[in-house]
Amino acid sequence: MLTTEKKSLLGIECKLAVEAETETKTMTFSGYGSVFGNVDSYGDIMAKGSFASSIQRHIDNGSMPFMFLNHAADRLPIGQWTSVEEDDYGLKMTGELLDSTDGIDTYKALKAGLIKGLSIGFYPVVWEMAAKSDNYRRTISEADLVEVSVVNCPANSSALVSDIKSNIDDMSIRDLERLLRDRGLSRKEAETIASQFESKRYLAEQERKRAEMNEFNARLNRLLGK
């Protein structure tokens, strides 16, 4: 019986976006489901282009790989992948979580940095076994991509879950400070940049309130015939 293989990738960081994608809150994120050229914990190397045929089949069929939590195919998907493509680095995925219990819980865990892993489920199609003297098992040059899961027990350290997007109102100054610290800035640098961001947001809010008051005064003057 042919079964899918799975490869997990650990996110090095979790980057929160500060801009809202739409006027309504959406639980979206993006990251790499697979990285090309590195030896994973199973001793395999995914070659660049290994997903190209599978991606094209999905495009032709109007489909996308499934999105599960921890490869739980016996449960409902937690969301849907909205974009999948290969770049020079790996298999880049963008998805949106469902407004369901599992989707919301996964989003909260991603946003808090508690989950940073993606894992692919696929059928190997074309591969080449390595020599005994090599430090890896095989190179996979074509894979049939079935699903990409969000996982909390990843096995590889090269993938990146990034660009978790929400409404800007969800991000406090402390959230931004933590994000900047995670990206390698010192505490002082993070606090300085975050405070500048907070000041700009405060000024923008004040400008919005002034504009609303000016509009109110203008409407009141028109009603009073002034």
Side-chain angles (χ1 to χ4, degrees):
M1 179 179 178
L2 185 63
T3 59
T4 59
E5 297 190 19
K6 302 175 179 65
K7 295 191 180 301
S8 301
L9 297 167
L10 171 64
I12 302 169
E13 59 186 277
C14 191
K15 183 175 70 172
L16 300 177
V18 298
E19 69 275 7
E21 188 173 61
T22 64
E23 292 182 357
T24 58
K25 180 179 177 181
T26 57
M27 297 183 292
T28 64
F29 67 101
S30 62
Y32 285 92
S34 181
V35 173
F36 299 140
N38 74 305
V39 180
D40 63 28
S41 61
Y42 302 95
D44 288 340
I45 297 174
M46 301 302 296
K48 183 179 179 181
S50 54
F51 300 103
S53 295
S54 184
I55 291 173
Q56 188 59 54
R57 281 193 295 273
H58 278 294
I59 293 173
D60 293 341
N61 296 331
S63 62
M64 278 286 180
F66 291 105
M67 182 197 296
F68 296 123
L69 178 63
N70 294 319
H71 301 291
D74 58 333
R75 296 175 61 90
L76 290 173
I78 60 172
Q80 60 182 347
W81 296 111
T82 57
S83 174
V84 54
E85 62 178 333
E86 286 192 357
D87 61 17
D88 290 337
Y89 185 71
L91 181 69
K92 187 174 183 179
M93 312 291 300
T94 299
E96 180 176 341
L97 292 160
L98 290 173
D99 187 17
S100 62
T101 299
D102 287 343
I104 293 171
D105 288 346
T106 301
Y107 172 71
K108 289 180 178 179
L110 281 168
K111 188 175 180 182
L114 301 177
I115 294 179
K116 300 181 182 180
L118 292 180
S119 180
I120 57 174
F122 67 99
Y123 295 112
V125 179
V126 179
W127 67 91
E128 182 179 348
M129 300 303 297
K132 289 184 178 180
S133 58
D134 292 328
N135 63 347
Y136 63 95
R137 182 169 66 116
R138 61 180 176 173
T139 299
I140 299 174
S141 56
E142 184 177 345
D144 185 9
L145 187 63
V146 178
E147 56 97 2
V148 182
S149 285
V150 179
V151 294
N152 51 14
C153 294
N156 188 293
S157 60
S158 295
L160 174 66
V161 172
S162 61
D163 293 337
I164 301 172
K165 298 182 180 180
S166 66
N167 191 285
I168 193 170
D169 293 335
D170 290 341
M171 176 174 282
S172 68
I173 188 171
R174 296 292 175 247
D175 290 332
L176 183 57
E177 285 180 12
R178 283 193 293 271
L179 166 63
L180 295 171
R181 292 289 304 279
D182 289 343
R183 296 306 300 273
L185 274 66
S186 68
R187 178 184 295 275
K188 184 176 181 180
E189 290 171 334
E191 289 177 348
T192 298
I193 294 175
S195 63
Q196 292 174 351
F197 169 76
E198 186 71 4
S199 297
K200 290 181 179 179
R201 183 161 62 179
Y202 172 78
L203 292 174
E205 177 65 15
Q206 293 300 107
E207 181 62 29
R208 183 187 66 80
K209 289 180 178 179
R210 280 194 294 270
E212 289 180 351
M213 183 57 68
N214 290 338
E215 176 63 21
F216 174 78
N217 289 334
R219 293 177 62 186
L220 183 58
N221 288 336
R222 287 195 295 270
L223 288 174
L224 295 176
K226 294 183 178 181

